[in-house]
Amino acid sequence: MRGVTAPALAANDPCWCGSGRRYKRCHRLADLDPERAAREAAQREAAARQAASLVRPGRVSPRRPVPAHIPRPSYALDPRGHDKLRESGAPKDADTIARMRRAGRAAAEVLAEVGAAVAPGVTTDELDRVVHEACLARGGYPSPLGYGGAVMPFPKSVCTSVNEVICHGIPDSTVLRDGDIVNCDVTIYLDGVHGDTNATFLVGEVDEASRALVEVTRECLDLGIAAVRPGGTVRDIGRAVQAHAEGKGYGVVRAFVGHGVGRAFHSPPQVHHYDHPGATQRLEPGMTFTVEPMITIGDHEHVMWDDGWTAVTRDRSRSAQFEHTLLVTDDGAEVLTKL
Ligand code: MF3
Ligand code: CO
Ligand code: CO
C-alpha cells in the first residue's frame, strides 16, 4: 500500500511551495533531480559571490610629490616616462650587487609595511600613500611613479591588484572588502638600482578557494627560485612554476614575465613562468632578475582596462602573484628582496 503523496503537478501549474511561480520555474528540478539542483544552486551562488566582488575603476588621487633631494630614475625625468637607459642582462659587478642588496632589503621592508596596512575598509589609495612615504623615508624613489606605458605613465607609487586583477592595478578610491585578495607590487629606486618585490595579501576572512590560490602561487615562486642554478637556463624556472601550478589545476599567465633588474627597472632576460622553448639564456653568477608568477583559478588569458595598465583575467576568475628579485650565485640563487 503506497502512502499518500502530493498529486503530480503539470509544468505550468503553480508550485506546491506557495511561491506563486510556475512549478517548472520553481521546485520541479529539485523534485526530479535533487543532486543536480543542489549543484546548480551552489554554482549560481559562487558566480553571484564572484560577481559581487568584481573590481571597478575608482577615482585616482592627485600625484604625490617627491622631494627634490631624492634621486630619480632616468624615465621619471621624461613626461611620458620613456626610458633611454638600456641595460644588458650580463652579470653585475660587486659594487652594483652590494647596492642591489640594500635596495632589495628596502623594498622588502616597504612591502612588509604596506602588507600590515591591508584591512577591510582601507582604500588602495591609502596603500599607495603608505608605500610612497615608506620609500621616501628610506631616501628612495617609488619606481612605478611616472614609469612609461602604452596609454599614460603609471600615476602612482605601487601597483595594487585586487581579486581578478592580474597585475598593474592603479591605486584609487577602491575600498578593500572582507574576502578580497590584494597584491601589492613594490619597487624602490635606491642608490642607483631598483629592488622589485610583491606579495598577495588576504583581506579579512577569505574563502578557501582564494586562500588555496594564494598558497599555490607562493609555492610557485619558491619552486621557481629553487630551479635557479648557474649553468642552467631561464627555461628551468618556467618549467618548475608551470608543472606545479598546472599540476594543481591552476592557470599560468603568459602575457607578463619576470625580467632583468638593476640600474634599469626592466632589462633582459625575460623570465617566462611557463616552459618556453626560446628561453635558452644561460644563468651565470652575478646575474640579477625577478621571478614573479601570476597564477589564476580559471582562464590564464587577460583583457586590459582602457587605462592601459590594469590587466584582468578574461573570465574574471581570481589571480594571485608573488615576486622576488634574485642574484645568481655560485650554487643557486640569493633572494635580494628579503628582510
Ligand atoms: N613592479 C612591476 C614588475 O614587477 C612593474 C610595474 S610597472 C608600473 O615588473 F609602472 F606599473 F609600476
Ligand atoms: Co618585476
Ligand atoms: Co614588481
Side-chain angles (χ1 to χ4, degrees):
M1 174 86 185
R2 293 177 59 204
V4 180
T5 54
L9 291 176
N12 287 320
D13 288 346
C15 188
W16 52 257
C17 74
S19 66
R21 292 161 44 167
R22 292 176 186 189
Y23 183 47
K24 69 178 180 196
R25 298 254 169 263
C26 198
H27 274 90
R28 186 173 66 154
L29 180 62
D31 291 347
L32 292 177
D33 190 346
E35 268 180 37
R36 179 171 159 208
R39 209 164 52 237
E40 290 183 0
Q43 282 165 357
R44 273 195 306 275
E45 214 178 283
R49 243 199 334 272
Q50 182 183 295
S53 76
L54 288 186
V55 183
R56 280 169 313 167
R59 270 169 292 101
V60 179
S61 68
R63 188 175 172 128
R64 295 192 154 85
V66 176
H69 72 269
I70 304 270
R72 284 150 163 74
S74 43
Y75 55 83
L77 306 167
D78 181 89
R80 288 189 303 181
H82 291 175
D83 203 352
K84 286 190 270 291
L85 175 64
R86 294 274 177 277
E87 194 177 32
S88 82
K92 269 75 173 174
D93 60 46
D95 171 67
T96 305
I97 290 169
R99 286 183 288 122
M100 287 192 70
R101 279 202 185 91
R102 290 197 290 275
R105 178 182 296 267
E109 289 169 1
V110 174
L111 181 62
E113 226 177 281
V114 70
V118 168
V122 171
T123 63
T124 52
D125 186 61
E126 168 65 8
L127 300 181
D128 181 71
R129 188 191 64 74
V130 169
V131 168
H132 187 84
E133 285 174 10
C135 288
L136 302 186
R138 287 163 177 78
Y141 180 95
S143 307
L145 187 63
Y147 187 70
V151 173
M152 59 170 178
F154 198 80
K156 290 284 149 192
S157 297
V158 62
C159 301
T160 52
S161 301
V162 177
N163 297 346
E164 75 275 15
V165 180
I166 295 170
C167 62
H168 303 163
I170 299 172
D172 62 15
S173 56
T174 298
V175 177
L176 295 175
R177 291 174 292 185
D178 192 62
D180 285 344
I181 59 174
V182 59
N183 177 279
C184 299
D185 190 345
V186 169
T187 314
I188 187 171
Y189 180 73
L190 185 68
D191 247 342
V193 292
H194 299 268
D196 188 5
T197 183
N198 75 49
T200 301
F201 301 99
L202 307 179
V203 185
E205 282 296 310
V206 171
D207 66 86
E208 174 55 32
S210 300
R211 280 189 280 130
L213 167 71
V214 170
E215 190 178 313
V216 166
T217 306
R218 187 194 294 276
E219 291 164 359
C220 283
L221 173 58
D222 292 343
L223 290 167
I225 294 171
V228 174
R229 54 175 190 86
T233 65
V234 250
R235 185 171 176 180
D236 303 336
I237 301 167
R239 200 184 274 129
V241 170
Q242 182 176 27
H244 188 60
E246 291 185 355
K248 299 230 168 198
Y250 294 91
V252 177
V253 172
R254 281 130 168 91
F256 301 93
V257 297
H259 51 91
V261 58
R263 288 187 300 119
F265 195 169
H266 295 110
S267 55
Q270 292 194 349
V271 180
H272 299 86
H273 302 107
Y274 60 97
D275 185 25
H276 184 75
T280 54
Q281 169 78 57
R282 288 243 164 249
L283 300 178
E284 294 174 57
M287 291 173 68
T288 54
F289 54 82
T290 72
V291 177
E292 47 182 302
M294 286 141 277
I295 305 298
T296 60
I297 290 179
D299 193 354
H300 69 260
E301 298 285 349
H302 78 286
V303 293
M304 296 297 297
W305 282 5
D306 49 21
D307 60 19
W309 283 107
T310 311
V312 300
T313 55
R314 186 166 66 181
D315 65 359
R316 306 302 196 269
S317 72
R318 287 186 173 191
S319 175
Q321 185 181 24
F322 286 86
E323 173 176 29
H324 274 308
T325 297
L326 308 180
L327 166 70
V328 182
T329 63
D330 290 332
D331 56 4
E334 178 183 333
V335 175
L336 298 181
T337 41
K338 63 176 192 287
L339 290 173

